[in-house]
Amino acid sequence: MVDYFNGRVLLQPNEIPKEWVNILPDLPSPMTPLINPMDGKPAPPEMALAIFPKECVMQEISQEPTIPIPKDLREIFARSYRPSPLHRALGLEKSLGIEGDDIKIFYKNESYSPTGSHKPNTAITQAYYAKKEGLEELVTETGAGQWGSGLSYGCNLFGLKCTVYMVRISFIQKPGRKILMEAYNAKVHASPSKFTESGKKFLEKDPEHPGSLGIAISEALEHSLKSEKIKYSLGSVVNFVLLHQTIVGQEAKLQLAKVGITKPDIIIGCMGGGSNFSGLMIPFVKDKLHGKLPDLEIIGVEPRACPSVCKGQYRWDFGDTSMKGPIVKMYTLGHSFIPSPIHAGGLRYHGMAPIISILNNNNVISATMHHQTEVIKSGLLFTKAEGILPAPETAHAIKETVDQALKAKENNEKKVILFNFSGHGFFDLLAYKQYMSGELEDYELSSEEIQKALSSREMPNIDESQF
Amino acid sequence: MVDYFNGRVLLQPNEIPKEWVNILPDLPSPMTPLINPMDGKPAPPEMALAIFPKECVMQEISQEPTIPIPKDLREIFARSYRPSPLHRALGLEKSLGIEGDDIKIFYKNESYSPTGSHKPNTAITQAYYAKKEGLEELVTETGAGQWGSGLSYGCNLFGLKCTVYMVRISFIQKPGRKILMEAYNAKVHASPSKFTESGKKFLEKDPEHPGSLGIAISEALEHSLKSEKIKYSLGSVVNFVLLHQTIVGQEAKLQLAKVGITKPDIIIGCMGGGSNFSGLMIPFVKDKLHGKLPDLEIIGVEPRACPSVCKGQYRWDFGDTSMKGPIVKMYTLGHSFIPSPIHAGGLRYHGMAPIISILNNNNVISATMHHQTEVIKSGLLFTKAEGILPAPETAHAIKETVDQALKAKENNEKKVILFNFSGHGFFDLLAYKQYMSGELEDYELSSEEIQKALSSREMPNIDESQF
């Protein structure tokens, strides 16, 4: 049936994209600025430059349609794991009772990186620029540990120090991720820690404090200000991180073209901060905005326990829980919102990338949400059908893909569906165990809870007329 | 320096080998027969046919120099994970202070299979043949779980039932592997279990019996005799398993040739039963035996806690601890020998594949051994240098590679070293944690212990003159 490529499309190292795709100049409404929480005005570049590597700050605001990927960086990708494979999900199609070529499901497999997800695409890049400008260390926070291990790997490649503040509850529950980070030479602290003033405050109240992503961000930010040679690193949300991930969508486009597909119908990705979803869809969105793919549907998938876009407001809010970082315009459930402890730790973020927020607000893309039991059920179906066990985050995209494929089958429609297989679930087997033994719980967020989080007196008011 | 291929050589799906390389007709001394423990005479084919899928039994004794890989089987490999990459270990070379191209280290990366090791190469193949001959189920034993998950994956691909008897101590200590097997639809029983007579005997003595590979083999064998539709599956040692793995070495040969290397100097692999080592080396051994690679050194690496070839005897012995299976001629520490609980569970086997035993006895290959602390130390060095965390088994090959590379550097020799990166260590992080915290222990086997195991009154005496 598909013996022309055996269900998997591989590229050669010289086919790694030579530039990143910048969506900023093409957005249907202008990019919103970062706001300084001190005065409510657009933050000057110096503010970002104090926190992030310089080249990343330039990319954050660049209006160039494409930004070249340095040759030596491309070579590092080629040596380690890129290009990644594109699979036709023939096993999944079969298990859904789909025959023939009317409905085709493809997935871009980002799980074949050394740390098991798409995260190294930006981690290596940030470490590369940090090394180039003479920095000595990058510091970040991590929840479940996927981003922390990505950055540890990236820093280690360039001999940079890496410090990771890991939410204490995950630090205890997921020892594997911590050991992996340490194997890459990183220093991993359970957060709250005794190493920062922000951490100490919480430890004084409760020596066994379970921590939160908000507290870990505060600690990482404070740590980054210790020296000019230390900068802060983010694994999602901001423009330059999404930019670095566009390597994924460009490869997928090339791979689809090699099997004669230039117009996929539906593109799907899970979204927490938005980086893996954006990485896949931005190169296609660009074509859609230029009129080349007018009918393309692009769907971001959230957990029902943390549906920032599906149920939040599009408004100004803090990116971090502790209100230290900049204020951004985005879909948010309120920065004080603490999501339920679902297994998809990477999707437990109260806000959403501004780029995704603008695209959704302009109806270029759409969002949907699912419960974790139905998500893990789809993940298990996928494991049996395709042989690869997805991370709980990734399984959100799979659930939506399954639904879309079955809908198309029911309606006798022809559809090409592409989703991002963002990571494997070897560190998340507990979720599958709980599902198989009937112990997995769902968390539905009530409108009252959302209303309460969004009406907190700490929500910022920004006067947009002034800029 | 190596920009001609960026340090990684990828093949296209159509470059998957079209045949397996059978070493039997080229062995320097004839293949030794399997002996029936009931009468001490060579076992008739019917005995093997009662246990294994028919096609595997035919391959076990085939004298054809090559055996075709069915086209549909090649397509399954192509859809899932083959060909696997060959990496130039530039990071490792650098960290050893090796510059330029005088010493080149390459590794074949078998960790990119869905279950993380080379095991699916034979698991898929055995399941394929089992399905073709109308079987309904395959049953096996597993220690640490790498083979069990491989076979679960393979059986699931073809809709076959899979039952795995997993050594109880591993069943408890490595819940991740069990969940992974269950995600592939396998039934996993802690061994000893209540499902077989052999298991019940041990449970009666001790309801919390920790189990052993020997007991698990007995249970799996007993289970396989329940129905003609159930056969037994092995993940190493026997000829047909080693045959299925030769896909690895053939790909590596092609990949080396693509970067201009036709004569590697040293080939290295870790060996427990011998399958990953054989898979890589057999295609090269064939050339060596035909005079094409006269200077090639081939080194199998064992743990010092279980040095079957390095310290055992080449003699007749039972393959299983419970003396139910056939008697084979091999290097052995005695079938009653229970190795210390090192992390490299896949290398804790008292014997060695007969093919490897013959090659070693004829000085075509050699063997060496290392302690687990120095092994995990090398694994950690590799993780930092190459970004991929090796399984403890694989780290044995890395330790020897490091030693050989440093020796060549010291002697100003030109060497091309190739080793098999047989699997990743995402399920074995405890070994790294213990090493990093200084808690990892070594186990040295004394000559007295070996002498004792080998002089047990249960060791078989076979009169070779009669056949």
Side-chain angles (χ1 to χ4, degrees):
Chain A
M1 177 167 70
V2 279
D3 61 354
Y4 53 91
F5 72 106
N6 292 307
R8 206 165 55 125
V9 193
L10 304 176
L11 300 176
Q12 285 294 321
N14 61 11
E15 294 176 294
I16 292 175
K18 295 191 174 50
E19 44 199 27
W20 291 295
V21 176
N22 186 12
I23 195 70
L24 292 196
D26 299 290
L27 287 176
S29 62
M31 185 64 206
T32 48
L34 300 179
I35 301 293
N36 183 346
M38 305 301 280
D39 60 8
K41 291 181 183 165
E46 299 82 56
M47 213 178 134
L49 288 169
I51 302 175
F52 299 113
K54 191 181 156 198
E55 197 66 38
C56 296
V57 176
M58 306 312 288
Q59 293 174 352
E60 182 72 11
I61 53 173
S62 168
Q63 289 291 325
E64 295 297 321
T66 59
I67 295 174
I69 304 175
K71 185 167 178 291
D72 36 355
L73 188 55
R74 287 207 318 275
E75 283 182 2
I76 290 166
F77 284 128
R79 267 179 55 189
S80 38
Y81 65 98
R82 299 214 72 86
S84 72
L86 180 84
H87 302 244
R88 168 90 179 263
L90 291 166
L92 182 62
E93 291 173 16
K94 193 175 164 198
S95 76
L96 298 176
I98 292 170
E99 282 170 23
D101 278 340
D102 280 357
I103 299 168
K104 295 177 186 163
I105 303 174
F106 291 89
Y107 57 99
K108 181 69 172 159
N109 190 347
E110 291 295 301
S111 77
Y112 276 175
S113 81
T115 63
S117 81
H118 64 293
K119 292 294 187 190
N121 296 331
T122 185
I124 294 174
T125 307
Q126 292 185 49
Y128 169 83
Y129 286 126
K131 181 70 180 182
K132 258 198 141 174
E133 68 182 76
L135 300 178
E136 288 171 0
E137 177 179 343
L138 287 176
V139 54
T140 196
E141 72 288 333
T142 200
Q146 195 56 273
W147 166 240
S149 28
L151 190 67
S152 303
Y153 167 75
C155 286
N156 176 66
L157 266 180
F158 297 98
L160 290 170
K161 281 189 204 165
C162 181
T163 305
V164 181
Y165 288 87
M166 185 174 189
V167 176
R168 182 181 304 269
I169 183 81
S170 298
F171 185 90
I172 294 164
Q173 285 176 350
K174 302 209 176 186
R177 280 281 171 203
K178 177 184 165 254
I179 301 165
L180 184 59
M181 289 184 255
E182 288 174 344
Y184 292 130
N185 271 328
K187 284 262 178 236
V188 187
H189 302 310
S191 168
S193 79
K194 61 181 179 188
F195 302 102
T196 67
E197 294 308 315
S198 342
K200 278 183 205 162
K201 272 185 210 162
F202 290 97
L203 279 185
E204 274 164 25
K205 285 184 220 161
D206 177 4
E208 303 294 316
H209 196 295
S212 75
L213 218 42
I215 297 170
I217 294 175
S218 313
E219 289 201 84
L221 277 170
E222 186 184 325
H223 182 116
S224 74
L225 299 175
K226 282 183 188 172
S227 151
E228 285 187 355
K229 297 283 186 190
I230 307 177
K231 290 279 165 78
Y232 176 60
S233 181
L234 260 179
S236 192
V237 180
V238 292
N239 303 342
F240 70 80
V241 171
L242 275 49
L243 177 82
H244 298 162
Q245 294 291 354
T246 59
I247 208 164
V248 176
Q250 291 181 81
E251 283 181 9
K253 221 170 160 181
L254 179 59
Q255 285 163 313
L256 284 179
K258 284 190 190 253
V259 297
I261 295 170
T262 51
K263 296 191 173 185
D265 299 287
I266 309 175
I267 290 177
I268 295 169
C270 64
M271 51 185 194
S275 80
N276 96 71
F277 176 46
S278 299
L280 181 64
M281 61 106 166
I282 281 177
F284 295 93
V285 163
K286 196 133 183 164
D287 286 351
K288 184 174 178 176
L289 291 169
H290 287 249
K292 286 188 215 158
L293 294 170
D295 302 320
L296 175 63
E297 257 190 284
I298 304 166
I299 307 169
V301 190
E302 299 185 311
R304 274 190 178 267
C306 191
S308 318
V309 176
C310 292
K311 295 229 175 166
Q313 273 178 15
Y314 184 48
R315 56 159 296 158
W316 296 95
D317 194 9
F318 289 97
D320 63 317
T321 309
S322 49
M323 303 180 290
K324 293 206 174 178
I327 295 165
V328 294
K329 192 160 183 185
M330 62 180 176
Y331 284 89
T332 176
L333 295 164
H335 61 266
S336 59
F337 173 70
I338 305 282
S340 305
I342 53 169
H343 286 281
L347 307 185
R348 293 177 69 242
Y349 182 61
H350 69 271
M352 186 51 64
I355 286 176
I356 290 185
S357 298
I358 289 171
L359 291 172
N360 186 73
N361 193 49
N362 285 278
N363 299 312
V364 179
I365 65 169
S366 66
T368 188
M369 57 185 177
H370 294 294
H371 269 311
Q372 74 170 348
T373 48
E374 52 190 13
V375 160
I376 298 297
K377 186 182 175 187
S378 296
L380 198 56
L381 174 78
F382 188 87
T383 306
K384 293 182 205 300
E386 291 289 318
I388 318 178
L389 187 112
E393 292 84 352
T394 309
H396 282 76
I398 294 170
K399 163 64 181 160
E400 181 62 22
T401 298
V402 166
D403 287 359
Q404 291 290 342
L406 289 175
K407 194 173 84 178
K409 183 187 163 202
E410 180 132 346
N411 297 338
N412 284 315
E413 291 171 308
K414 289 193 177 191
K415 293 277 184 200
V416 172
I417 306 172
L418 167 67
F419 75 92
N420 199 357
F421 190 90
S422 53
H424 65 60
F426 286 162
F427 291 86
D428 310 278
L429 287 160
L430 186 61
Y432 288 89
K433 185 188 175 195
Q434 290 183 346
Y435 174 80
M436 289 191 276
S437 60
E439 292 162 20
L440 195 62
E441 280 179 40
D442 281 330
Y443 302 92
E444 180 85 56
L445 203 58
S446 72
S447 310
E448 291 73 36
E449 285 171 287
I450 299 169
Q451 209 43 52
K452 194 180 153 203
L454 283 171
S455 59
S456 150
R457 63 181 173 79
E458 286 173 338
M459 289 300 282
N461 274 317
I462 303 298
D463 177 10
E464 288 189 32
S465 67
Q466 62 169 345
F467 51 85
Chain B
M1 177 166 77
V2 282
D3 60 355
Y4 54 90
F5 70 106
N6 292 307
R8 206 165 54 126
V9 193
L10 304 176
L11 299 176
Q12 285 294 322
N14 62 11
E15 294 176 295
I16 292 174
K18 295 189 174 48
E19 45 199 24
W20 292 295
V21 176
N22 187 12
I23 195 71
L24 292 196
D26 299 288
L27 287 175
S29 63
M31 185 63 208
T32 48
L34 300 179
I35 301 294
N36 183 347
M38 305 300 281
D39 60 10
K41 291 182 181 162
E46 299 82 58
M47 215 180 135
L49 286 168
I51 302 175
F52 298 113
K54 190 181 158 199
E55 197 66 38
C56 297
V57 175
M58 305 314 287
Q59 292 174 352
E60 182 72 11
I61 52 173
S62 168
Q63 289 289 325
E64 294 299 319
T66 59
I67 295 175
I69 305 175
K71 185 167 178 290
D72 36 355
L73 188 54
R74 288 207 318 274
E75 283 183 1
I76 290 166
F77 284 129
R79 268 179 53 189
S80 38
Y81 65 98
R82 299 216 72 87
S84 72
L86 180 84
H87 303 242
R88 168 91 180 262
L90 292 167
L92 181 62
E93 290 174 16
K94 194 177 161 195
S95 76
L96 298 176
I98 292 169
E99 281 170 24
D101 278 341
D102 279 357
I103 298 169
K104 294 177 186 164
I105 304 174
F106 291 88
Y107 57 100
K108 181 69 172 158
N109 190 347
E110 290 296 300
S111 76
Y112 276 175
S113 81
T115 63
S117 81
H118 64 292
K119 292 293 187 190
N121 296 333
T122 185
I124 295 175
T125 307
Q126 292 185 48
Y128 169 85
Y129 286 127
K131 181 71 181 182
K132 259 199 140 173
E133 70 181 74
L135 300 178
E136 288 170 2
E137 178 180 341
L138 287 176
V139 55
T140 197
E141 71 289 330
T142 200
Q146 195 57 273
W147 166 240
S149 29
L151 189 66
S152 303
Y153 167 76
C155 286
N156 176 66
L157 266 181
F158 297 98
L160 291 169
K161 281 189 205 164
C162 181
T163 304
V164 181
Y165 288 87
M166 185 174 189
V167 176
R168 183 181 302 272
I169 184 81
S170 297
F171 185 88
I172 294 164
Q173 284 175 350
K174 303 209 175 186
R177 280 282 171 203
K178 175 184 167 253
I179 301 166
L180 184 60
M181 290 185 255
E182 288 174 343
Y184 292 129
N185 271 328
K187 284 263 180 235
V188 187
H189 302 311
S191 168
S193 80
K194 62 183 179 187
F195 302 102
T196 68
E197 294 308 315
S198 341
K200 277 183 206 163
K201 271 186 212 162
F202 290 97
L203 278 185
E204 274 163 25
K205 285 184 219 160
D206 177 3
E208 305 294 314
H209 196 293
S212 75
L213 217 43
I215 298 170
I217 293 175
S218 313
E219 289 201 85
L221 276 169
E222 185 184 328
H223 182 117
S224 74
L225 299 175
K226 283 183 188 174
S227 151
E228 285 186 356
K229 296 285 186 187
I230 307 177
K231 291 279 166 77
Y232 176 61
S233 182
L234 261 179
S236 193
V237 180
V238 293
N239 303 342
F240 69 82
V241 172
L242 274 50
L243 177 81
H244 299 162
Q245 294 291 355
T246 59
I247 207 165
V248 176
Q250 291 181 81
E251 284 181 7
K253 220 170 161 180
L254 180 58
Q255 286 163 312
L256 284 179
K258 282 188 191 256
V259 297
I261 296 170
T262 52
K263 296 192 172 182
D265 299 286
I266 308 175
I267 290 177
I268 295 169
C270 64
M271 51 185 194
S275 81
N276 95 73
F277 176 47
S278 299
L280 181 64
M281 61 105 167
I282 281 177
F284 294 94
V285 163
K286 196 135 186 163
D287 287 351
K288 183 173 178 176
L289 291 169
H290 286 250
K292 287 188 217 159
L293 294 170
D295 302 320
L296 175 63
E297 255 192 284
I298 303 166
I299 308 169
V301 190
E302 299 186 311
R304 274 190 179 267
C306 190
S308 319
V309 177
C310 292
K311 295 229 176 165
Q313 273 177 16
Y314 184 48
R315 57 160 295 158
W316 295 94
D317 194 8
F318 289 96
D320 63 316
T321 310
S322 50
M323 303 179 290
K324 292 205 172 178
I327 295 165
V328 294
K329 191 161 184 185
M330 61 179 175
Y331 283 88
T332 177
L333 294 165
H335 62 266
S336 60
F337 173 69
I338 305 283
S340 306
I342 53 168
H343 286 281
L347 307 186
R348 292 177 69 242
Y349 181 61
H350 68 272
M352 186 52 65
I355 285 176
I356 290 185
S357 298
I358 289 172
L359 291 173
N360 186 74
N361 194 48
N362 285 278
N363 299 313
V364 179
I365 65 168
S366 66
T368 188
M369 57 184 175
H370 294 293
H371 268 312
Q372 74 170 349
T373 48
E374 53 190 13
V375 159
I376 298 297
K377 185 182 176 187
S378 296
L380 197 57
L381 174 78
F382 187 86
T383 306
K384 294 183 205 298
E386 291 289 317
I388 317 178
L389 186 113
E393 291 83 354
T394 309
H396 283 75
I398 294 171
K399 163 65 181 160
E400 181 62 21
T401 298
V402 166
D403 286 359
Q404 291 290 340
L406 289 176
K407 193 174 84 179
K409 185 187 162 201
E410 179 131 345
N411 298 339
N412 283 317
E413 290 172 310
K414 289 193 177 193
K415 293 277 183 198
V416 172
I417 306 173
L418 166 67
F419 75 92
N420 199 357
F421 190 91
S422 54
H424 65 61
F426 286 162
F427 291 86
D428 310 280
L429 286 160
L430 186 62
Y432 288 90
K433 186 188 172 193
Q434 288 182 348
Y435 174 79
M436 289 191 276
S437 60
E439 292 162 18
L440 195 62
E441 281 179 39
D442 281 331
Y443 303 91
E444 181 84 55
L445 202 59
S446 71
S447 309
E448 291 73 36
E449 284 171 288
I450 299 170
Q451 209 42 52
K452 193 182 154 202
L454 282 171
S455 58
S456 150
R457 63 181 174 79
E458 286 173 338
M459 291 299 282
N461 275 315
I462 302 298
D463 176 11
E464 288 189 32
S465 67
Q466 63 170 343
F467 52 85

